[in-house]
Amino acid sequence: MLICIRVRCGEFRESIGRMNILIISTNRNAYPVPVLPAGACMVAEAAERAGHTVSLLDLMFLADPLQAIRAVLGKTMYDVIGFSVRNIDNIDMGAPRYFINELIALIDTIRRSANTPLVLGGAALMVMPEEIMRATGITCAVIGDSEVVFPRLVEKLARNEPWEDLPGVASMVGGKFRTNPTAPGLSHTCAGPDYGRWLNMKSYRSHLSTIPLQTKLGCRFQCVYCTYRKIEGNAYQLSDPGSMAETAFRYASSGFRDIEFVDNVFNFPYNHALAVCEALIRSKHRARLQSIELNPVSFDHHLLAVMARAGFVGIGLTVESASDQVLSGLRKGFFAREVYAAAEVVKCNQLPCLWIFLLGGPGETRNTVRETLRFAEKFIRPQDAALFNIGIRMYPGTELETIARRQGVLSLPSGSMLEPLFYISPEVDADWTMGQVKQSMNSHMNFMNGDSMSFSYLPQISRLGHRLGLKPPLWRYTRYIRRGLRSVGMRV
Ligand code: B12
């Protein structure tokens, strides 16, 4: 078995002892596409810059991850092992997958082979830190962007000093959970890691994966179900557009041409998105850019024209619904008027667009489901695609949790929401909604549902696409893929 483990030594700083650090990227979920562990690479490079020796073990493509870990720990003694935990579950009500049990098995294996301080980090940790720490028994975690905090934590561990007071760190002492807020300015020192050094890029590329790039942190929107403000805070921290463009140029020049902006909302603040696009135009990069995280608020002809000139080959609009009643129940911060206006803008432009809907939110009824589907059937161009998700993952501390409790559809305590629980408006049922979506999909080959995202042959389709020379995003080919699969008898 081939184990891909990359080791890099940083410049040794006299002030602290050099630590031997292993970062494990635990994500093995290949649906809808294997995503590069951006955060794990960023944290690895930050620790290396602080003078440590860092190895990164990415479990994504390994046939036997537990065996791989035993082999790695058999060869080297580490002073700290950090786990990058991206997903708790796949937020799919139709075919739920829960990833924390795999994480627990992994940690148990490590505990049997090594007596090393263990640290948790990653997006999942920011969503439910206490629950994940209790489930895994790990007593130290970094909450939030970690490029500054993780090296500080390692420094404390190296000196054998107490670390529990550090900003941005969570601890579990004597069964008591404590988290310290991250201080401002503790973010993004390394927005564009050198992925080729740490990861098996050939495998990612052959699955049509894209290079993630984030132009800011923060979210101002107040969607009732969302965790983004919990993850990134509500104040914006904007990256310099010029250095974003330089990073895109650097990636494209080294052959990584498919770049995806992973901001939670790419086009807000509007002027920042424009500034990033203008810097990209000036940089003359040769990348193919995409972002599926656009919001119909501040979406207009000018933005789309500039995005097209900047090198975008696909965009996604997360509209969720075309009904005022549902958009207001979800507190999206826009209404059906903006959704219809966005369709007009898309129509006048060449850029392919993926429309993303979320059915079953507070206020959804049979009529509002029909309203949204009629919008999609009438306004989405055949060359574009639409994705309909049904049911909303409920997270503790969100307004959706409060709504669900008030409506009597959630009775489990907040601490028991780690295993996925889904909200669906009491006025519609999931089967009926799914039936309506399927009817619409029968007449629109460019429409998809949650099943399409977890379709078992998706990795094979991506690899075949890569061999045929297709470029990401794969959703641009939805109507051809669905037609092809139907022609061989598959009910997709
Ligand atoms: C963009 C995005 C996507 C894109 C990714 C595109 C790409 N090319 O990468 C797409 C649309 C493909 C996607 C898909 C999915 N996503 Co998504 N995604 C995001 C989003 C908005 C940003 C992720 C990102 O790249 N952030 C930027 C990087 C740099 O940050 P980071 O990795 O978190 O790293 C920082 C910290 O976490 C920390 N850190 C990371 N690792 C480590 C390790 C250690 C040791 C330490 C100390 C710290 C640390 O430091 C890092 C830098 O400072 C997040 C929400 C968010 N705001 O984070 C959701 C999010 C991660 N996704 C989520 C989910 C569920 C999914 C899907 C399962 C959905 C689905 N059914 O399709 C899939 C899974 C894909 C897969 N194969 O794993 C959830 C995970 C929570 C959960 N319930 O499990 C999130 C949190 C959104 C949410 N619902 O709240 N996603």
Side-chain angles (χ1 to χ4, degrees), residues 32-34 202-209 455-474 477 480-485 487-488 490:
V33 66
K202 204 167 159 227
S203 294
Y204 279 104
R205 246 195 302 221
S206 71
H207 284 81
L208 297 182
S209 301
F455 181 58
S456 54
Y457 291 107
L458 200 50
Q460 284 87 338
I461 293 172
S462 301
R463 286 213 303 272
L464 179 65
H466 174 71
R467 261 187 249 130
L468 294 173
L470 300 189
K471 305 294 176 211
L474 190 66
Y477 309 99
Y480 306 112
I481 297 170
R482 284 193 60 215
R483 271 200 203 109
L485 292 170
S487 72
V488 294
M490 290 194 190

Side-chain angles (χ1 to χ4, degrees), residues 23 27 29-35 38-40 42-43 82-84 86-91 119-123 126-127 142 144-147 150 210 212 214 227-228 231-232 260 262 264 292-293 393 395:
I23 306 281
N27 186 18
N29 175 24
Y31 295 89
V33 66
V35 296
M42 285 157 80
V43 164
F83 298 87
S84 181
R86 186 190 195 277
N87 300 323
I88 299 164
D89 60 293
N90 65 349
I91 59 168
V119 179
L120 291 167
M126 305 188 226
V127 177
V142 180
D145 248 40
S146 310
E147 293 152 272
F150 183 62
T210 53
Q214 203 176 24
T227 56
Y228 288 176
I231 298 176
E232 299 183 9
E260 178 166 0
V262 294
N264 51 52
I292 59 164
E293 314 276 351
R393 169 47 151 127
Y395 296 105

Side-chain angles (χ1 to χ4, degrees), residues 260-281:
E260 178 166 0
F261 288 99
V262 294
D263 300 15
N264 51 52
V265 177
F266 176 75
N267 58 329
F268 202 92
Y270 179 81
N271 285 338
H272 181 64
L274 277 185
V276 168
C277 291
E278 277 151 10
L280 285 162
I281 294 170

